[in-house]
mmCIF file of all heavy atoms in Angstrom:
data_model
loop_
_atom_site.group_PDB
_atom_site.id
_atom_site.type_symbol
_atom_site.label_atom_id
_atom_site.label_comp_id
_atom_site.label_asym_id
_atom_site.label_seq_id
_atom_site.Cartn_x
_atom_site.Cartn_y
_atom_site.Cartn_z
ATOM 1 N N LEU A 100 107.667 84.199 112.711
ATOM 2 C CA LEU A 100 106.924 84.047 111.471
ATOM 3 C C LEU A 100 106.546 85.437 110.973
ATOM 4 O O LEU A 100 105.515 85.969 111.332
ATOM 5 C CB LEU A 100 105.694 83.174 111.665
ATOM 6 C CG LEU A 100 105.981 81.652 111.960
ATOM 7 C CD1 LEU A 100 104.656 80.949 112.326
ATOM 8 C CD2 LEU A 100 106.564 80.989 110.733
ATOM 9 N N ALA A 101 107.300 85.986 110.058
ATOM 10 C CA ALA A 101 107.113 87.339 109.582
ATOM 11 C C ALA A 101 105.680 87.460 108.929
ATOM 12 O O ALA A 101 105.013 88.522 109.128
ATOM 13 C CB ALA A 101 108.179 87.700 108.576
ATOM 14 N N GLU A 102 105.303 86.465 108.178
ATOM 15 C CA GLU A 102 104.033 86.601 107.442
ATOM 16 C C GLU A 102 102.821 86.698 108.386
ATOM 17 O O GLU A 102 101.784 87.363 108.075
ATOM 18 C CB GLU A 102 103.833 85.381 106.504
ATOM 19 C CG GLU A 102 102.644 85.501 105.602
ATOM 20 C CD GLU A 102 102.716 86.782 104.710
ATOM 21 O OE1 GLU A 102 103.787 87.193 104.289
ATOM 22 O OE2 GLU A 102 101.621 87.422 104.517
ATOM 23 N N VAL A 103 102.917 86.088 109.585
ATOM 24 C CA VAL A 103 101.830 86.130 110.544
ATOM 25 C C VAL A 103 101.663 87.571 111.040
ATOM 26 O O VAL A 103 100.562 88.062 111.164
ATOM 27 C CB VAL A 103 102.073 85.182 111.745
ATOM 28 C CG1 VAL A 103 100.994 85.358 112.772
ATOM 29 C CG2 VAL A 103 102.106 83.725 111.277
ATOM 30 N N TYR A 104 102.775 88.236 111.321
ATOM 31 C CA TYR A 104 102.760 89.649 111.787
ATOM 32 C C TYR A 104 102.132 90.537 110.616
ATOM 33 O O TYR A 104 101.391 91.452 110.958
ATOM 34 C CB TYR A 104 104.143 90.128 112.147
ATOM 35 C CG TYR A 104 104.671 89.458 113.357
ATOM 36 C CD1 TYR A 104 105.683 88.479 113.283
ATOM 37 C CD2 TYR A 104 104.269 89.847 114.637
ATOM 38 C CE1 TYR A 104 106.204 87.874 114.393
ATOM 39 C CE2 TYR A 104 104.781 89.236 115.808
ATOM 40 C CZ TYR A 104 105.767 88.281 115.647
ATOM 41 O OH TYR A 104 106.286 87.625 116.742
ATOM 42 N N ASN A 105 102.448 90.199 109.399
ATOM 43 C CA ASN A 105 101.856 90.946 108.318
ATOM 44 C C ASN A 105 100.340 90.855 108.304
ATOM 45 O O ASN A 105 99.606 91.819 108.143
ATOM 46 C CB ASN A 105 102.427 90.394 106.960
ATOM 47 C CG ASN A 105 101.962 91.168 105.755
ATOM 48 O OD1 ASN A 105 101.989 92.401 105.728
ATOM 49 N ND2 ASN A 105 101.412 90.438 104.733
ATOM 50 N N PHE A 106 99.834 89.615 108.475
ATOM 51 C CA PHE A 106 98.366 89.410 108.481
ATOM 52 C C PHE A 106 97.758 90.097 109.693
ATOM 53 O O PHE A 106 96.702 90.747 109.557
ATOM 54 C CB PHE A 106 98.048 87.902 108.535
ATOM 55 C CG PHE A 106 97.827 87.271 107.205
ATOM 56 C CD1 PHE A 106 98.875 86.521 106.581
ATOM 57 C CD2 PHE A 106 96.663 87.416 106.531
ATOM 58 C CE1 PHE A 106 98.676 85.972 105.327
ATOM 59 C CE2 PHE A 106 96.482 86.906 105.238
ATOM 60 C CZ PHE A 106 97.475 86.115 104.688
ATOM 61 N N LEU A 107 98.370 89.995 110.842
ATOM 62 C CA LEU A 107 97.838 90.642 112.022
ATOM 63 C C LEU A 107 97.822 92.151 111.850
ATOM 64 O O LEU A 107 96.895 92.835 112.329
ATOM 65 C CB LEU A 107 98.583 90.221 113.253
ATOM 66 C CG LEU A 107 98.424 88.792 113.757
ATOM 67 C CD1 LEU A 107 99.390 88.408 114.802
ATOM 68 C CD2 LEU A 107 96.958 88.652 114.288
ATOM 69 N N GLY A 108 98.829 92.684 111.209
ATOM 70 C CA GLY A 108 98.843 94.111 110.899
ATOM 71 C C GLY A 108 97.687 94.578 110.085
ATOM 72 O O GLY A 108 97.020 95.614 110.319
ATOM 73 N N ILE A 109 97.368 93.759 109.044
ATOM 74 C CA ILE A 109 96.232 94.073 108.175
ATOM 75 C C ILE A 109 94.938 94.063 109.025
ATOM 76 O O ILE A 109 94.128 94.963 108.891
ATOM 77 C CB ILE A 109 96.108 93.046 107.072
ATOM 78 C CG1 ILE A 109 97.244 93.166 106.097
ATOM 79 C CG2 ILE A 109 94.753 93.206 106.284
ATOM 80 C CD1 ILE A 109 97.343 92.046 105.072
ATOM 81 N N GLN A 110 94.772 93.071 109.830
ATOM 82 C CA GLN A 110 93.530 92.949 110.574
ATOM 83 C C GLN A 110 93.362 94.102 111.614
ATOM 84 O O GLN A 110 92.262 94.617 111.783
ATOM 85 C CB GLN A 110 93.485 91.593 111.281
ATOM 86 C CG GLN A 110 93.365 90.415 110.339
ATOM 87 C CD GLN A 110 93.192 89.069 111.046
ATOM 88 O OE1 GLN A 110 93.362 88.945 112.231
ATOM 89 N NE2 GLN A 110 92.862 88.079 110.253
ATOM 90 N N PHE A 123 102.962 95.572 114.324
ATOM 91 C CA PHE A 123 103.021 94.245 113.729
ATOM 92 C C PHE A 123 103.817 94.327 112.379
ATOM 93 O O PHE A 123 104.583 93.428 112.107
ATOM 94 C CB PHE A 123 101.603 93.731 113.391
ATOM 95 C CG PHE A 123 100.943 93.097 114.587
ATOM 96 C CD1 PHE A 123 99.723 93.591 115.119
ATOM 97 C CD2 PHE A 123 101.469 92.027 115.266
ATOM 98 C CE1 PHE A 123 99.122 93.031 116.224
ATOM 99 C CE2 PHE A 123 100.902 91.429 116.380
ATOM 100 C CZ PHE A 123 99.729 91.969 116.858
ATOM 101 N N PHE A 124 103.568 95.350 111.573
ATOM 102 C CA PHE A 124 104.338 95.482 110.327
ATOM 103 C C PHE A 124 105.797 95.717 110.607
ATOM 104 O O PHE A 124 106.643 95.136 109.868
ATOM 105 C CB PHE A 124 103.754 96.598 109.481
ATOM 106 C CG PHE A 124 102.372 96.305 108.971
ATOM 107 C CD1 PHE A 124 101.354 97.241 109.151
ATOM 108 C CD2 PHE A 124 102.095 95.139 108.317
ATOM 109 C CE1 PHE A 124 100.072 96.995 108.675
ATOM 110 C CE2 PHE A 124 100.765 94.877 107.863
ATOM 111 C CZ PHE A 124 99.791 95.843 108.059
ATOM 112 N N ALA A 127 107.253 92.414 111.310
ATOM 113 C CA ALA A 127 107.438 91.622 110.100
ATOM 114 C C ALA A 127 108.698 91.999 109.338
ATOM 115 O O ALA A 127 109.458 91.151 108.846
ATOM 116 C CB ALA A 127 106.197 91.731 109.173
ATOM 117 N N HIS A 134 110.502 91.644 102.929
ATOM 118 C CA HIS A 134 109.087 91.290 102.862
ATOM 119 C C HIS A 134 108.315 92.458 102.228
ATOM 120 O O HIS A 134 107.782 93.352 102.932
ATOM 121 C CB HIS A 134 108.510 91.014 104.279
ATOM 122 C CG HIS A 134 107.203 90.281 104.307
ATOM 123 N ND1 HIS A 134 106.094 90.719 103.549
ATOM 124 C CD2 HIS A 134 106.745 89.209 104.953
ATOM 125 C CE1 HIS A 134 105.075 89.930 103.788
ATOM 126 N NE2 HIS A 134 105.474 89.000 104.623
ATOM 127 N N TYR A 136 105.446 92.940 100.810
ATOM 128 C CA TYR A 136 104.059 93.201 101.066
ATOM 129 C C TYR A 136 103.807 93.815 102.415
ATOM 130 O O TYR A 136 102.802 94.468 102.652
ATOM 131 C CB TYR A 136 103.215 91.910 100.855
ATOM 132 C CG TYR A 136 102.939 91.669 99.380
ATOM 133 C CD1 TYR A 136 103.791 90.843 98.682
ATOM 134 C CD2 TYR A 136 101.938 92.326 98.675
ATOM 135 C CE1 TYR A 136 103.620 90.642 97.325
ATOM 136 C CE2 TYR A 136 101.736 92.158 97.327
ATOM 137 C CZ TYR A 136 102.603 91.335 96.648
ATOM 138 O OH TYR A 136 102.401 91.090 95.313
ATOM 139 N N ALA A 137 104.765 93.659 103.344
ATOM 140 C CA ALA A 137 104.691 94.363 104.607
ATOM 141 C C ALA A 137 104.849 95.848 104.402
ATOM 142 O O ALA A 137 104.249 96.665 105.105
ATOM 143 C CB ALA A 137 105.776 93.836 105.511
ATOM 144 N N ASN A 140 101.389 96.934 103.045
ATOM 145 C CA ASN A 140 100.363 96.921 104.066
ATOM 146 C C ASN A 140 100.633 97.942 105.174
ATOM 147 O O ASN A 140 99.661 98.543 105.714
ATOM 148 C CB ASN A 140 100.182 95.517 104.617
ATOM 149 C CG ASN A 140 99.624 94.598 103.551
ATOM 150 O OD1 ASN A 140 98.670 94.902 102.839
ATOM 151 N ND2 ASN A 140 100.204 93.431 103.460
ATOM 152 N N ARG A 141 101.895 98.162 105.489
ATOM 153 C CA ARG A 141 102.164 99.274 106.456
ATOM 154 C C ARG A 141 101.882 100.595 105.813
ATOM 155 O O ARG A 141 101.378 101.484 106.511
ATOM 156 C CB ARG A 141 103.663 99.215 106.914
ATOM 157 C CG ARG A 141 103.944 100.170 108.044
ATOM 158 C CD ARG A 141 105.382 100.053 108.577
ATOM 159 N NE ARG A 141 106.384 100.460 107.636
ATOM 160 C CZ ARG A 141 107.658 100.399 107.809
ATOM 161 N NH1 ARG A 141 108.116 99.995 109.004
ATOM 162 N NH2 ARG A 141 108.525 100.804 106.857
#
Side-chain angles (χ1 to χ4, degrees):
L100 291 172
E102 188 57 38
V103 176
Y104 292 103
N105 181 52
F106 268 101
L107 285 169
I109 293 171
Q110 293 186 349
F123 280 121
F124 292 128
H134 194 310
Y136 283 93
N140 293 316
R141 188 175 66 180

